[in-house]
Amino acid sequence: MTWDDELQYSLKRLVEGLGATREAARPGFSLALAQVLQAFEEISICSVLEQIKEKHNLEKVKKKLVRNAAFGNFFGVMALFQSGRLVKDQKALLESIQLLQQLAHHQAHLRDLPRKTLIDILSEVPETVFEEVLFDILRGDLASAFASPENLHLLLVGIQKFPSVLKPKNLKKLFGSPTVVNEQNIPRLVELLQSAAKSEKKDKKLPGLVFDLLQVSLKEGAFELFWKEGVENGVLKEKSGPVSYMCYRLLGSALPLLSLEQLQMVLKGKVMQHYGEHVVKTQLPDRFKFAPEMEDYVDEFLNSCDDPERQMAVIIGFSTLTNQGYPVFSSSSKVVRHLQPVVLQKYIDWLKDMFLRPDLDCCLDFSSNRQKQNQGKVNTAQHKITRLRKWLIHRLANIMEHAVKKEESLVMDISRFCFFHAFFETKKKASQIHETRVLPSEPLDEQTRAVTENYFFGLLQTLNTLTVWGDTAKAAALREKHIHGVTAEGKLWIFLLVEYADKLLSSEHVKAVRPFTKGQRDVWERTLQSVKNLQKKENKLNGAKVVAFQQLLLLMAVHLFKDQSETVDVLSDLLNCTERAFSKEPKKKKTDNTEPGWVEVMVEILLSLLAQPSLLIRRISKSVFVRICPNLTKRSLQLILDVIDPYQEQNEESAVVVMEESEKKNKSDQDMDEEGSEDSSDGDSEEENDSGEEEKNEEVDEDFRSQLMNVLQAGNAVGGDESDEELDDEAMMALDKNISALFAEQQKRIQAKKDEKDRIRKEKILRRDFKIKVLDLIEAFLVKQPENPLVFDVIEPLLRLIEQCMSSDSDKQEVDFLQKTASIFRNSLCRAKQYCKRVDALQEDLHAFVERLVEKACKHTDSSVALYYFSASLYLLKVLKGNVSDKSSTPPTPLPEKGSSTIPQAAQLLSTGCLDVEKVAGIYRQALTQFLTKRNSALTYSMFHDLFKRFPIMCKPLVDTLVKSVTAGARQHHQAQACLLLQKVLQLHELKLFMTEEEWEELIRESISQVTESLKTVGKCIVKTDKEKIAKILELLNFLLKTVKEQELRVKLTELEKVLVALNQPEGVGNSPRLDSLYWNVMRWLGYTKPKKEKTTHKPAQEAENLKRKKKGFLPETKKRKNRKKGLQENGLAPAAGEDGEPAASEEQSLGTNTPKQKKGLKNQSRGVRENGVAVAAVNGGDAVADKKKKKKKNRKRKGDGHHEAEQAPAAKKAKGRVSQETQQQQGKANQQKQGKVKKKRKVKKAPVQEE
């Protein structure tokens, strides 16, 4: 085949594939054809188009293949277009356009794909080609532009692409008007836009027709007409989701194209108001929200726009779209990062001016239906101003987080503004105080000041995390040190604010909202002086510690303006602690009755600050605590541990926490938007339902029952003979009154109980939350001071906390608290790489501590808790072993003579440090004995394995206990665990360093002896624990015998060998393959080998053997018609029967010449007999015949051999029948019965094959 032939064949195949039945294949063939046409330009485009038309002729194709043919033509044109050569060939272009026009009538299959492709082709065609070739063909489509959205889109693309061809003069000839957007065409345009919106609703994008119409309206100068009449008064009137979203997307897409006047018109129009209503209505989580998409449009516009005025118009336009005064645009939006510096400054000035002099007239305000109903209940104007100011102050405070090009003057300006209006008010204008130059048109109410105050402290948190700006060398050095919260000069932002506050306090033109008393002012002055003194010491002392104290002092000084009564006391104590912490006076020894040291006071202050809702206070408090960790005392640490102690009563402290948190919640509730009030009725109804259910479940109080009976008896309603008489009206009214009063009192009591339960529940949650924060301090102490002896005081409180959490409720907060505590204990304490190195004076205490921990682990019933106690004891072992005692200790066992490279490692292992090995070994020996004797012990194998692995020095003292427990274990499971632990210990190479060769040999000898005694007690294995024990014994024996053989130890194995040989019985190991494998692995070391199984053979007829070995798909010689009689004569006689009446095996079978399938069958049959590695042959000939028949049936099911099976089946049946008849005549009655059973089985198993 030549090259041209191959190319033509490829084209033929590709053209055929364009109309493939598989939809996913068509685009692939189209793309491949496009690539071929692009690579081989010698191929004529017209010839390929003719092949496509001929192959996928819509007139000649069958009706059921019309869809495939339509797609074949369409993808063919697509391939020509994608090749890039269609536009260059005018004839092919003309025919392709005509073909697409024909395909446009097949909307049932292709929908609008041909029209869209036509538009794509049109956008690539040169203007001359369009005018000379395509204009006449497309004249009809262009003339009927208002008939369908596709035709209108074609016209709009043509107008933009070929303005000199589709001039107003030609347009008038086409459809009677020189422009597309005019008053006459608006109604039809509205219908087409609505149709286009519904067609694109699944794609969630702006239809191309709508965007092109927008561009044409701008080109024709009719944008105002198009927007007001076509969009706002036309399309938007249809209340449907797709149409509304199309209008929103059109608004966002139009922003970059509009002038300043057009932007102002659009941003104050009905589409914007409609968008605002959508944002307010879609507050529920399951509703579709368009707000993020609109924010993307605004973000893209601000990023691409270089005109400051248009940027300002858009950002203010969205900031003035308000719902009862509150803008719907997010106050934390990140779009401000694209504002130019000039625009950002103007926007900040506008925000401040609107805060001071709110102008509701410039806002595009709307109200929801529920808000309109409730308008009479509130002062509308004041309510709107409050809501607007809340958004404005949050927008101001949030700008610093997202603005990219920030200057220190800008940040300080915003910070001063927020601080001033949170805590001060102007008495008189002052030129030196910028914030007093503009007086508020409406006074700030308490709610506004509270909101401003909250946002200011959030602003402080932002300032504390700001990176250093500036290009100076000092600023770069600060950035390299990762220092935050300071200016380029190194000054703290919060210090600059405190200086500004001091200036305001000294001014007569302003007054504080909460004026200071003389004592508070003295504390303020003292704080400033202390901070200045610290700044002088910053370079001389620890800089980080000085800065931490400065931040805490300054932050508490600012909090004086918020909560003066509590902050004064805290600040006074903090100042005293600061002076004592940085004083150079030597520490004085004090008795227990003296006043607490500065560290204790400081810890109490920090604990109280942790209960504050402010994140900044908690962060700075933790930072200060990290700096004072080296100065912690036992009493100060105990203050922290008392907080997390589950047995300590903290009613007073918890009440304080509840009050603080409740105040915080009340303020946050006040700050919530009123849009959420629409769902309040649902919440109330749910609470009522809950209370009703609780009332139903409430048990009747016996006191209430007796009171009710007394009331009824007093009214003669129950009891006595008069109970049948009816009461008069007065008595009934009096009885009803008494009963209602009684039930009202009962209801009050029930409500009081519910309130008390709710209070206790909230108190418990808040106390738990506070403890979680305190855990952060403990973690910081363990991480920063791992070598401090006070670490030992943290162990037991953490263990008690874990134990208490394990037995408490399993709610999410409790689980989080437990996980955090366990993580700190495990990672920061037990796994710490550094530990205390000065425990010589604490040796006795630590040894007693180890004993106490191990005893608690033994006494516990929960293994998970016991594991933590045991891990703590191992941590103490690590500390004791890693320390060097000053006293002379017992010299260790002399090192074995080995290479010099191993001497340092061995010396390190043999070193006991401060560890009293005998005492600790006794402690763990008792625990190990309990583990191996007590039935429900909380101790586990992993605990002791970890002990031996981490501390090999403990192996030698405890290995004797393990050896004895091989036989002395209380139960089979305990003996198995002892074997496993003993194996792991013997495998540790460090164990040999602590033993002489004689001791090692004696240990191996004793271990083998104990194992031998344990094996003598083994009976028939039925229970799972017995098998587990034998498995562990055999694994241990395998290692012991391997050690004996490889190290040539003098150990007698005679008795063990006898026991193992006796175990090789059916009642010994059993029929477990795993035990069998382990058994023979052990016997291998004693010189025994696993006996090979004797191959048992079946006794089928000779022709069956030939049938099994025949090739698939070929007829055997005996089955051929000419040789069938001969084969029966040769193979029909049965072999002579054996002594037991069964037919003897043939010579070939006795030699073991079986087929693979027979071998597989033999293996499966002999598996039940093979118990001790010896195969027993007991297979009868009838089963062999049955197996042969089964395999015959399986061969018949194979696909592809249907013809041969049809020929073989009758002949095979006849041959089998004759053979069976001859064998039955030569066998006895017993054999005949067996053959009958085989036949029955054969009949039963034939049935499914026949059904198939």
Side-chain angles (χ1 to χ4, degrees), residues 493-550:
W493 285 106
I494 191 172
F495 177 72
L496 297 179
L497 281 175
V498 169
E499 283 187 331
Y500 174 69
D502 188 58
K503 179 181 178 182
L504 294 178
L505 288 174
S506 305
S507 175
E508 299 178 354
H509 299 85
V510 299
K511 69 174 182 177
V513 178
R514 305 182 187 92
F516 283 179
T517 63
K518 185 177 182 302
Q520 293 167 354
R521 186 60 187 268
D522 292 340
V523 172
W524 171 267
E525 298 290 345
R526 186 181 166 196
T527 303
L528 291 182
Q529 186 60 42
S530 179
V531 170
K532 292 177 182 177
N533 294 337
L534 287 176
Q535 289 177 349
K536 296 177 183 178
K537 300 178 181 179
E538 186 172 352
N539 297 328
K540 301 178 182 178
L541 300 175
N542 185 359
K545 182 178 179 181
V546 172
V547 170
F549 272 86
Q550 281 187 62

Side-chain angles (χ1 to χ4, degrees), residues 15 23 125 264 376 698 710 797 878 891 1005 1092 1233:
V15 170
E23 296 183 359
V125 173
Q264 292 173 346
E698 189 77 24
N710 292 336
K878 179 176 70 173
R1005 182 182 297 108
K1092 296 182 179 179
Q1233 291 176 359

Side-chain angles (χ1 to χ4, degrees), residues 1191-1239:
K1191 294 182 176 67
K1192 189 81 173 178
K1193 298 296 182 184
K1194 292 181 181 177
N1195 289 335
R1196 289 182 184 175
K1197 294 181 182 179
R1198 298 188 179 275
K1199 294 182 180 180
D1201 297 332
H1203 178 68
H1204 295 289
E1205 290 171 3
E1207 293 180 355
Q1208 294 172 12
K1213 288 180 183 177
K1214 291 178 183 179
K1216 292 173 189 173
R1218 291 174 184 175
V1219 172
S1220 61
Q1221 288 174 6
E1222 292 177 4
T1223 53
Q1224 285 176 3
Q1225 291 173 3
Q1226 296 176 7
Q1227 292 176 348
K1229 290 184 179 181
N1231 195 28
Q1232 289 179 0
Q1233 291 176 359
K1234 291 183 180 180
Q1235 290 292 334
K1237 292 180 181 179
V1238 173
K1239 287 183 179 180

